[in-house]
Amino acid sequence: MSNEHSPLLTYGLFAVGSDTGGSGLESGRGPGGAAAAASSSSARSLNTFFGVVVPTVLSMFSIVLFLRIGFVIGHAGLLQALIMLAVAYVIISLTILSICAISTNGAVQAGGAYFMISRSLGPEFGGSIGLMFFLANVCACGVYVLGLVEAILDVFGQDAGSSMGDGLRLLPQGYWYTVLYASAVLLLCLLVCLVGAHLYSRASFLILLVVTLSLVSIIISPLALGPRSFVISHQGGANSTIVYNTSYTGFSRSTLKNNLGTGYSLDYSTGTVMTFATVFAVMFNGCTGIMAGANMSGELKNPSVSIPKGTIIAVVYTFFVYLLLFLLVSSTCDRVLLVQDYGFLQRINIWPPFVTIGVYCTSLSAAMSSMIGASRILHALALDQPAAFSSCHHVKCVVFAGQLNSVTSLVTVFYLLAYAAVDLACLALEWASAPNFRPTFQFFSWHTCLLGIMGCVVMMFVINPVYSSASIALLLLLLVFIHYRAPTSSWGYISQALIFHQVRKYLLMLDVRKEHVKFWRPQVLLMVANPRSSCQLITFVNQLKKGGLFVLGHVQLGDLDTLPSDPIQPQYNFWLSLVDKLGVKAFVDLTLSSSVRQGTQHLLRITGLGGMKPNTLVLGFYDSCVPEDYFLQDPAFCEGVGGLSSGTGDNFGVDLPSLQAHFPPVRSLECPRWLSPEEYVGIVSDAIKMGKNVCLARYFFQLEGEGSGVAAVSGLERTIDVWPLNLLRPENSGYVDVCSLFLLQMACVLNMASKWRHARLRIFLCVESESGDQGWLAKEETLRELLGKLRIRASIKIVAWDAVVRLYGAGKEGRAGTPGGGDVGEGELGGWARLPPAAVRFLYLPRPPAGSSQSQKYLSQLETVTQGLGPTLLIHGLTPVTCTEL
């Protein structure tokens, strides 16, 4: 795809550099695209072991292996520590299954977890989760840097209460000194990251060898050393010193028994009492490195193979190492030693520098891995040069915490949220049942994904409800921001697949045989010849639909047999862009036909699906008026105003000039019409024969307040007038036939729309006031009773109908025996009533004549009836739509 790497945001939010080398994400952009692609291919040189196993193992060991195992066992005890280890590894194992499934479903590019989530869930979730995962890596880098500083001060710090009693005590200690040392370490990590990931990957293998040697020394030390006693001191309040006497017992059953239970106490580094949640947060940091290999996806030869294979190997290896060390430490060390000295492994090693070197190597390696991972994620977000400088600045903010244990809860919450998002991505792909979701890794299901999400979310709130709530709120804010500011991507949106899956299921459940009049709503097919002259009507019908189906239909004249390809398909984007521009909730259905009448028949039959098919046809009025160009009147259709523009936005390749150029200019007075009167009346007749309600709309270009560039008229100034009477056949003056009730229902539906909610509804009752039987009073009472039963709030206006009745009677006698002799003549309708002003009028549409010879006369009568009335909707209803029962 040409824009597979289109920027998530084009407003410079993530732009942190302008260098042009690097990871190959810029492939295909500009004249150097081929060279960039070649350089990207050559940059992929890491195999499974060096690219995934090594960085993942080092990241998972990090500071927990050497500096916090005693902390976990000492506070939680062996049993709860094993529970914590099991819970942590169950969570990450479920997440790894999701990672393996996603990474083996296609080519994985640079960006690691961000790339997988964004390409699975779409840019909104991908961008927001990518930023959260970036923050997690940043915070983790800060934790590892603080852990390294803590280990350095244990050996070289001037505090006499440090772990080792001897050594070069040169470094002054204190909060600001800790920040200074952390900044120096951070600068070293930055320099390594700037040199490149290849140097880090090669150096990390040597680091792994050193760490392995340190682990071997820790494991064999209990076999070589006997019991020992230690004195540990810490600075207390008021310049006092607290002294603890503790011991290393070697393998001892009593020591193991004493370390089985819990012993939560004061953490000497932070001065707070530990709990299950705080200890688990620290311990879980030893499991958060599972994405280290995925973050190197841009440098891997075969990411789809290396990421799942290498990650699983690293997780299994680290699990058994942690399990072995938990058992070893709880069997040989007194609880006081574990709680009061986090660097106790140096005291009980055959050669203490082994442990010191191991701490330095794992902490430095994990910090560099997190910084590289953060920069890769930010790089993928920005599609710019590696963002190591930006990552470094963010990490500096973290090191101001001063103590490692102070930020572990926040880091753990961020990681759990990112892992939950990976599980959510896999779950969404599985539930969407997309045919192209065919991962080669098969050991997963939607059950594992759901369990992973639940486990992550539950543990987030167990660890810290405040951090968890704040991180979720931040995620939602980022999601909304990116949704409204990000341009359209070609990645695919999982939401569309899920919506399709659900819509298909519910459409099958929408049974037309179960329809009931109580739940009837308008489902409208509006035929549009040229949107330039129909925008006001489109907006009006959008308000009239009352949550029902709304389809814009258009017929293009032509014969597919004589054309090289279908001319309809390329037009959909322009019509859908018009729908977006007008802000209406409508579908679009276009067809190619030899005549407008035949095309309308096609649309009436095939538009919609299942129980969602149009029941009402709306047509513009057939008269001699010259249409006006709405595009020239509305500022929203001018360049640089509103949604579609030549810049960025969700225009799907249709900018405003293209939209304006696609739709032809409005018809001038000299241009011939595409539709004859006979064909137009034939369309109305066809719709009635097919059981569809018909509405003819006239003068809607005069409707005020419907355009996006016109100030809306206050609802209090609007009135909706209803004339439920066949004006061409006044003898049929009843108000209870289906068509009249349909008229009342449509007016009531419009009155329920938000923009018409405060409009006044007026119903006009035509009576013969000169007759002495006072029958019109009974008609008024009957109509008022009917409105009460239908729950329609409206005022009734009495209109004297005597003159029209007399004219109708005279006309009927004069035209007796002629076709259509029962109709009122055009001259008889010219001044039949002087109507008060109204925002819109609903009139009764008589059934069209059976013969085409009467079509012109029928249209002339309708034109005379509606002449000068303003926005008018002539309606012929066939569907029973009112109900007085519960």
Side-chain angles (χ1 to χ4, degrees), residues 7-9 14 114 117-132 381 421 424 474-489 491-496 650 652:
L8 182 66
L9 289 176
F14 303 120
Y114 160 71
I117 296 171
S118 63
R119 269 50 174 188
S120 301
L121 297 183
E124 295 94 343
F125 274 100
S128 53
I129 292 294
L131 284 172
M132 298 300 289
L381 284 165
L424 177 63
L474 177 61
L475 174 67
L476 295 176
L477 287 175
L478 289 171
L479 192 148
V480 172
F481 176 79
I482 296 175
H483 174 76
Y484 286 104
R485 298 298 297 270
T488 304
S489 74
W491 309 337
Y493 295 79
I494 190 64
S495 58
Q496 295 297 303
D650 288 339
F652 295 90

Side-chain angles (χ1 to χ4, degrees), residues 692-708:
K692 308 295 183 183
N693 311 296
V694 180
C695 302
L696 307 183
R698 190 179 190 190
Y699 291 131
F700 273 86
F701 63 89
Q702 299 178 4
L703 188 63
E704 296 180 345
E706 296 306 308
S708 57

Side-chain angles (χ1 to χ4, degrees), residues 523-528 538 541 545 548-554 579 585-590 603 607-609 612-614 616-618:
Q523 304 199 84
V524 182
L525 171 64
L526 171 61
M527 298 302 299
V528 179
I538 293 173
V541 175
K545 70 182 188 302
L549 180 69
F550 180 23
V551 181
L552 299 182
H554 175 73
V579 168
K585 297 178 181 179
F587 298 94
V588 173
D589 212 346
L590 313 177
L603 293 177
T607 296
L609 194 63
M612 295 192 68
K613 296 183 72 70
T616 304
L617 174 68
V618 179

Side-chain angles (χ1 to χ4, degrees), residues 507-516 523 609-613:
L507 273 176
L508 291 172
M509 297 170 61
L510 190 61
D511 194 341
V512 294
R513 296 168 296 183
K514 298 179 181 178
E515 289 181 351
H516 193 277
Q523 304 199 84
L609 194 63
M612 295 192 68
K613 296 183 72 70

Side-chain angles (χ1 to χ4, degrees), residues 633-648:
Q633 300 175 8
D634 190 351
F637 284 90
C638 297
E639 185 69 32
V641 179
L644 293 174
S645 64
S646 56
T648 60

Side-chain angles (χ1 to χ4, degrees), residues 341-631:
D341 186 6
Y342 300 151
F344 74 99
L345 289 176
Q346 299 175 55
R347 297 180 182 268
I348 63 173
N349 198 272
I350 54 177
W351 190 52
F354 271 140
V355 177
T356 303
I357 295 171
V359 171
Y360 294 170
C361 289
T362 54
S363 299
L364 192 61
S365 173
M368 289 188 293
S369 176
S370 295
M371 181 174 287
I372 290 176
S375 64
R376 290 294 185 268
I377 295 169
L378 196 60
H379 178 200
L381 284 165
L383 285 183
D384 217 322
Q385 212 16 58
F389 281 110
S390 177
S391 303
C392 180
H393 294 321
H394 286 86
V395 176
K396 283 183 181 178
C397 298
V398 178
V399 300
F400 278 102
Q403 291 294 337
L404 183 153
N405 290 359
S406 302
V407 290
T408 50
S409 296
L410 182 61
V411 175
T412 303
V413 166
F414 278 150
Y415 270 113
L416 284 170
L417 187 60
Y419 294 165
V422 174
D423 290 323
L424 177 63
C426 189
L427 177 67
L429 289 170
E430 180 71 8
W431 275 355
S433 302
N436 281 321
F437 183 58
R438 300 189 298 271
T440 56
F441 183 86
Q442 295 292 322
F443 300 100
F444 79 100
S445 69
W446 68 267
H447 304 87
T448 61
C449 301
L450 190 59
L451 284 174
I453 295 172
M454 293 171 60
C456 291
V457 173
V458 169
M459 292 313 301
M460 281 173 57
F461 282 92
V462 168
I463 290 169
N464 195 308
V466 176
Y467 286 167
S468 301
S469 303
S471 61
I472 293 174
L474 177 61
L475 174 67
L476 295 176
L477 287 175
L478 289 171
L479 192 148
V480 172
F481 176 79
I482 296 175
H483 174 76
Y484 286 104
R485 298 298 297 270
T488 304
S489 74
S490 61
W491 309 337
Y493 295 79
I494 190 64
S495 58
Q496 295 297 303
L498 291 172
I499 290 170
F500 177 88
H501 187 268
Q502 292 301 108
V503 166
R504 180 194 64 84
K505 181 173 73 174
Y506 287 115
L507 273 176
L508 291 172
M509 297 170 61
L510 190 61
D511 194 341
V512 294
R513 296 168 296 183
K514 298 179 181 178
E515 289 181 351
H516 193 277
V517 64
K518 288 190 296 185
F519 308 111
W520 180 92
R521 66 183 70 229
Q523 304 199 84
V524 182
L525 171 64
L526 171 61
M527 298 302 299
V528 179
N530 189 344
R532 287 181 174 271
S533 58
S534 308
C535 289
Q536 293 98 326
L537 180 58
I538 293 173
T539 306
F540 175 78
V541 175
N542 182 64
Q543 299 165 5
L544 189 64
K545 70 182 188 302
K546 186 53 181 175
L549 180 69
F550 180 23
V551 181
L552 299 182
H554 175 73
V555 179
Q556 180 169 330
L557 299 180
D559 186 357
L560 193 58
D561 290 338
T562 63
L563 298 172
S565 62
D566 184 10
I568 295 299
Q569 295 304 320
Q571 297 187 30
Y572 272 96
N573 260 7
F574 294 96
W575 283 84
L576 292 173
S577 297
L578 175 73
V579 168
D580 294 339
K581 186 68 175 174
L582 293 175
V584 297
K585 297 178 181 179
F587 298 94
V588 173
D589 212 346
L590 313 177
T591 189
L592 182 72
S593 180
S594 57
S595 69
V596 177
R597 181 177 182 180
Q598 188 180 54
T600 305
Q601 288 181 11
H602 293 166
L603 293 177
L604 283 172
R605 292 185 187 279
I606 66 175
T607 296
L609 194 63
M612 295 192 68
K613 296 183 72 70
N615 55 31
T616 304
L617 174 68
V618 179
L619 302 172
F621 197 76
Y622 192 96
D623 56 17
S624 57
C625 293
V626 178
E628 298 183 15
D629 193 339
Y630 181 80
F631 285 9

Side-chain angles (χ1 to χ4, degrees), residues 18-326:
S18 57
D19 207 1
T20 56
S23 66
L25 281 176
E26 299 288 338
S27 59
R29 296 174 65 182
S39 118
S40 171
S41 177
S42 64
R44 292 181 172 273
S45 59
L46 299 180
N47 58 21
T48 301
F49 181 75
F50 287 102
V52 182
V53 175
V54 172
T56 303
V57 167
L58 290 176
S59 296
M60 294 186 71
F61 281 161
S62 64
I63 52 102
V64 175
L65 182 67
F66 293 105
L67 292 181
R68 289 299 182 269
I69 281 186
F71 168 85
V72 175
I73 298 295
H75 286 287
L78 177 61
L79 295 181
Q80 283 202 7
L82 292 177
I83 293 174
M84 292 179 185
L85 186 67
V87 170
Y89 270 82
V90 166
I91 290 175
I92 65 171
S93 298
L94 293 172
T95 304
I96 288 170
L97 297 180
S98 300
I99 294 173
C100 295
I102 297 174
S103 62
T104 58
N105 190 52
V108 179
Q109 304 298 325
Y114 160 71
F115 183 90
M116 290 187 287
I117 296 171
S118 63
R119 269 50 174 188
S120 301
L121 297 183
E124 295 94 343
F125 274 100
S128 53
I129 292 294
L131 284 172
M132 298 300 289
F133 195 54
F134 163 76
L135 292 176
N137 276 273
V138 164
C139 293
C141 183
V143 167
Y144 302 145
V145 168
L146 289 173
L148 178 56
V149 170
E150 180 181 309
I152 293 173
L153 293 178
D154 274 348
V155 178
F156 302 104
Q158 294 178 350
D159 184 3
S162 296
S163 301
M164 303 299 294
D166 52 1
L168 298 175
R169 300 293 181 175
L170 302 176
L171 299 178
Q173 292 181 245
Y175 171 77
W176 289 108
Y177 283 110
T178 300
V179 173
L180 177 63
Y181 303 147
S183 300
V185 173
L186 193 56
L187 180 61
L188 175 62
C189 296
L190 175 62
L191 293 177
V192 175
C193 294
L194 290 178
V195 171
H198 296 285
L199 176 63
Y200 163 73
S201 63
R202 286 172 173 79
S204 62
F205 177 65
L206 298 177
I207 295 174
L208 180 61
L209 292 179
V210 174
V211 172
T212 303
L213 182 61
S214 300
L215 283 173
V216 171
S217 71
I218 292 172
I219 293 171
I220 66 174
S221 289
L223 302 177
L225 298 178
R228 298 184 178 186
S229 298
F230 306 104
V231 176
I232 302 173
S233 61
H234 294 300
Q235 292 294 328
N239 294 324
S240 63
T241 301
I242 304 175
V243 179
Y244 299 93
N245 294 312
T246 184
S247 63
Y248 164 74
T249 64
F251 288 107
S252 170
R253 181 178 298 178
S254 61
T255 302
L256 177 61
K257 183 178 180 180
N258 291 334
N259 287 330
L260 287 177
T262 61
Y264 294 110
S265 58
L266 197 69
D267 173 26
Y268 70 84
S269 65
T270 60
T272 57
V273 177
M274 294 293 98
T275 62
F276 179 91
T278 54
V279 174
F280 179 81
V282 173
M283 201 279 306
F284 193 81
N285 272 274
C287 310
T288 54
I290 61 173
M291 292 289 195
N295 291 339
M296 304 292 290
S297 57
E299 286 77 25
L300 296 174
K301 289 180 182 178
N302 193 345
S304 297
V305 174
S306 297
I307 291 176
K309 183 178 178 182
T311 304
I312 292 175
I313 292 173
V315 168
V316 172
Y317 173 69
T318 56
F319 174 76
F320 283 106
V321 170
Y322 276 124
L323 182 61
L324 178 61
L325 290 179
F326 276 19

